[in-house]
Amino acid sequence: MGRLGTPDDCGKVVLFLVSDLAGFVTGESIGVDGGLCEAIRY
């Protein structure tokens, strides 16, 4: 993403998860890292 994450970035994910929009989401692990894990090659 070209920037560091902020607490607000995490908060937006939390708001989504507690909203009706996520009513059918169960048992998921959601990474809030701006794609960093995908960019790192081992």
Side-chain angles (χ1 to χ4, degrees):
M1 304 299 302
R3 64 179 178 82
L4 293 176
T6 66
D8 191 50
D9 293 320
C10 292
K12 289 176 183 177
V13 174
V14 171
L15 284 176
F16 166 71
L17 290 172
V18 299
S19 75
D20 288 338
L21 293 172
F24 209 66
V25 176
T26 60
E28 295 299 319
S29 175
I30 300 174
V32 184
D33 64 0
L36 182 62
C37 285
E38 290 296 322
I40 298 173
R41 299 288 178 201
Y42 296 97

